[in-house]
Amino acid sequence: LLSDDHGYTDLGKDIDPNVDTPNLDRMVREGMRFTSGYSSAPQCVPSRAGLMSGRDQNRFGLFQNGADAGYGEDTLPPNVKTIAEHVRQLGYVTGMAGKWHLGHRTRFLPRAHGFDRSLIIGLVASMATWKTTAFASEAMVAFSVMIGLRITS
């Protein structure tokens, strides 16, 4: 479970009345609470690249948002294997839902990196243009419903 830019105080109505996270709150009530989180970078693109690959993203050129690793800005290089590619070789079906942000062209999307299924949310164009799409908005609503998140403000 990766929550991008999610602060410790961003959970539950008991902490913030504008945030309603019933499924995460249920996890806490049932005894699961994560009080420390670590990331390989302070920005979303490099930390995602590190998480997905299990490698130090600096070694393949994604040291910050907007970095060009030789294939275009904010793109996970096609020669970098992801966890999905590794576990797929073991017979697992793979999937990801959320913000991809590791390349918006077809050859860089989750399917090209070993994910059998994906629901991409958020920015799909380069970071420099900060464009969203109608699909991204609809996907955000669909994903929010899937995980039981209700946005109240």
Side-chain angles (χ1 to χ4, degrees):
L1 177 63
L2 172 67
S3 178
D4 189 27
D5 196 25
H6 196 142
Y8 185 72
T9 61
D10 294 337
L11 291 173
K13 288 212 174 278
D14 58 329
I15 297 172
D16 185 339
N18 295 311
V19 179
D20 190 12
T21 54
N23 291 334
L24 295 175
D25 294 344
R26 188 182 84 230
M27 288 170 54
V28 170
R29 279 193 310 277
E30 293 174 359
M32 185 178 293
R33 186 170 184 115
F34 302 100
T35 58
S36 299
Y38 301 93
S39 176
S40 60
Q43 297 170 321
C44 62
V45 171
S47 63
R48 270 184 176 67
L51 176 74
M52 292 292 174
S53 67
R55 294 179 53 199
D56 178 353
Q57 67 280 352
N58 294 303
R59 291 182 177 256
F60 50 85
L62 285 181
F63 52 90
Q64 67 183 25
N65 285 358
D68 184 342
Y71 295 91
E73 193 174 282
D74 297 332
T75 299
L76 184 62
N79 63 329
V80 174
K81 285 185 95 170
T82 66
I83 188 170
E85 291 171 287
H86 289 290
V87 300
R88 215 163 139 201
Q89 290 177 336
L90 299 172
Y92 288 90
V93 174
T94 59
M96 71 84 56
K99 180 177 156 188
W100 176 247
H101 219 178
L102 291 172
H104 64 280
R105 292 185 176 87
T106 303
R107 67 187 181 132
F108 302 120
L109 291 175
R111 182 155 256 174
H113 283 288
F115 290 96
D116 297 307
R117 303 272 189 278
S118 64
L119 173 60
I120 302 171
I121 304 170
L123 302 174
V124 293
S126 74
M127 295 260 318
T129 58
W130 289 92
K131 292 181 182 174
T132 60
T133 65
F135 169 77
S137 299
E138 291 171 13
M140 179 59 98
V141 171
F143 185 66
S144 296
V145 169
M146 262 179 14
I147 63 169
L149 176 67
R150 291 187 299 275
I151 301 167
T152 59
S153 68

